[in-house]
Amino acid sequence: MASTRDYYEVLGIPKTATAADIKSAYRKAALKFHPDRNKEPGAETKFKEINEAYEVLGNEEKRKNYDQFGHQAFQQGGFNSASGPNPFAGGFGGQGGPFSYTYTGNPFSAQGGPASGWEGMDFGGFSDPFDIFESFFGGSMRRGPRKPHYELEVSFMEAVKGAEKNVEIDGKKKTIKVPAGADNGTRVRFADFDVSFRVRPDPKFRRDGEDIYTDVNLPFYQAILGGEIEVPTLDGSLRLKVRPGTQPGTMVRLRDYGVSRLQGRGKGDQYIRYVVTIPEKLSHEEREALKVFEK
């Protein structure tokens, strides 16, 4: 869905709201209108609208773009044709936010433990996803003592590619498998404990879901004349053709060069943004050549 209502109005908060205010307002509204609790007509639509608003306002960068450009910042074609696709477009549909999840039937087994398929689910960084279900359905959804929960720091590439980490827990050596596509807050359940991941940022890549974004410096003469340039990807360097007359901020989409999806097949995309570099100093001959070009 694509709501046209003001996102601040949807969550019932002022534009000066802090991140904590936004999270609190979202949680309250999501609990009120969740279809499993609210059977009134329109509750599901309202719930999706609330999720859509939080996907934007709960993300610092997306919030800045929304404050500056409004809904246009997230519509397909929000950038001009020279700038390529809008990196913030699409992806709502009511599936975002900390309360997004999908299940069929009873998510808990007869013994009170998680049913198969819940391992590695991303619950949006909440410390304990069971707290969410307790809020939804009332009372405790668990039986027995709460299992220990540990946080493991991994590198950006270990998270997107997958890895095995040897750790020591309560004096015992353990091997933790990091699933390919893991992100901040991704939680993996083991028999005796749970582990969630904290991912260190990478200097080359910025991640948004399964998509990644990379800035690549492009000399101004190459932007004008065109040519070839080498760009970094998760799988190594790749040579791309640069069209003559490439404008600053132009984005190139590399389909399926993003992060593997945890709960499904395929990968996200990679977006290359060209940052045209202007030399600070020019020789006399270069200046004269530019004057001729100017005329």
Side-chain angles (χ1 to χ4, degrees):
M1 67 177 293
S3 173
T4 57
R5 290 182 60 199
D6 181 81
Y7 288 148
Y8 291 97
E9 179 185 339
V10 170
L11 295 182
I13 55 176
K15 291 188 176 181
T16 56
T18 65
D21 293 335
I22 294 172
K23 186 175 181 178
S24 176
Y26 168 75
R27 183 182 178 92
K28 181 178 179 180
L31 288 172
K32 179 179 179 181
F33 290 99
H34 191 277
D36 287 344
R37 300 188 64 188
N38 192 328
K39 302 300 182 182
E40 295 181 3
E44 183 174 357
T45 299
K46 180 69 175 178
F47 179 71
K48 291 179 179 180
E49 188 178 43
I50 292 167
N51 271 282
E52 179 180 324
Y54 184 76
E55 283 206 30
V56 173
L57 301 185
N59 180 292
E60 183 178 354
E61 184 171 350
K62 290 181 181 180
R63 182 183 181 185
K64 289 180 180 179
N65 280 273
Y66 177 73
D67 288 343
Q68 185 173 1
F69 301 107
H71 290 281
Q72 186 178 359
F74 308 97
Q75 297 171 354
Q76 293 290 349
F79 281 62
N80 59 38
S81 58
S83 300
N86 186 342
F88 303 101
F92 291 122
Q95 297 302 315
F99 288 103
S100 65
Y101 57 90
T102 302
Y103 66 86
T104 55
N106 184 0
F108 296 89
S109 66
Q111 288 73 35
S116 61
W118 284 77
E119 292 80 359
M121 285 289 287
D122 184 355
F123 289 88
F126 273 71
S127 60
D128 190 339
F130 290 94
D131 292 342
I132 299 174
F133 291 110
E134 290 171 12
S135 298
F136 279 151
F137 305 108
S140 176
M141 298 294 290
R142 306 186 68 184
R143 301 177 185 176
R146 186 183 296 271
K147 292 192 301 182
H149 170 227
Y150 302 95
E151 186 177 69
L152 178 62
E153 184 178 84
V154 296
S155 69
F156 181 89
M157 294 304 293
E158 286 174 332
V160 301
K161 290 289 189 179
E164 288 189 353
K165 303 286 286 185
N166 295 319
V167 299
E168 187 173 304
I169 298 177
D170 294 334
K172 297 179 180 180
K173 293 183 178 180
K174 303 283 186 179
T175 299
I176 306 297
K177 184 176 181 180
V178 183
D183 203 352
N184 280 310
T186 296
R187 187 166 181 144
V188 178
R189 300 176 58 80
F190 295 90
D192 302 322
F193 57 88
D194 293 353
V195 173
S196 61
F197 302 110
R198 183 175 71 252
V199 183
R200 294 192 298 271
D202 187 271
K204 294 180 182 178
F205 306 108
R206 181 177 62 82
R207 179 175 176 178
D208 185 4
E210 283 77 42
D211 295 334
I212 60 172
Y213 298 84
T214 310
D215 286 343
V216 174
N217 291 325
L218 188 67
F220 84 101
Y221 64 84
Q222 199 167 27
I224 296 172
L225 301 175
E228 288 190 353
I229 192 170
E230 205 169 74
V231 301
T233 73
L234 297 178
D235 297 315
S237 297
L238 180 70
R239 293 194 69 80
L240 293 182
K241 288 186 177 180
V242 179
R243 290 184 295 182
T246 294
Q247 300 298 308
T250 294
M251 297 188 72
V252 177
R253 179 187 183 188
L254 303 179
R255 187 183 296 273
D256 298 330
Y257 273 76
V259 181
S260 298
R261 294 183 174 89
L262 268 177
Q263 302 302 322
R265 298 179 180 178
K267 297 182 177 181
D269 301 325
Q270 179 175 357
Y271 292 91
I272 303 294
R273 184 177 69 170
Y274 290 131
V275 179
V276 178
T277 55
I278 307 297
E280 296 182 359
K281 296 181 180 180
L282 294 173
S283 66
H284 176 74
E285 291 78 9
E286 289 169 336
R287 287 181 177 276
E288 293 301 317
L290 283 177
K291 289 181 180 179
V292 173
F293 175 78
E294 181 183 18
K295 293 179 181 180

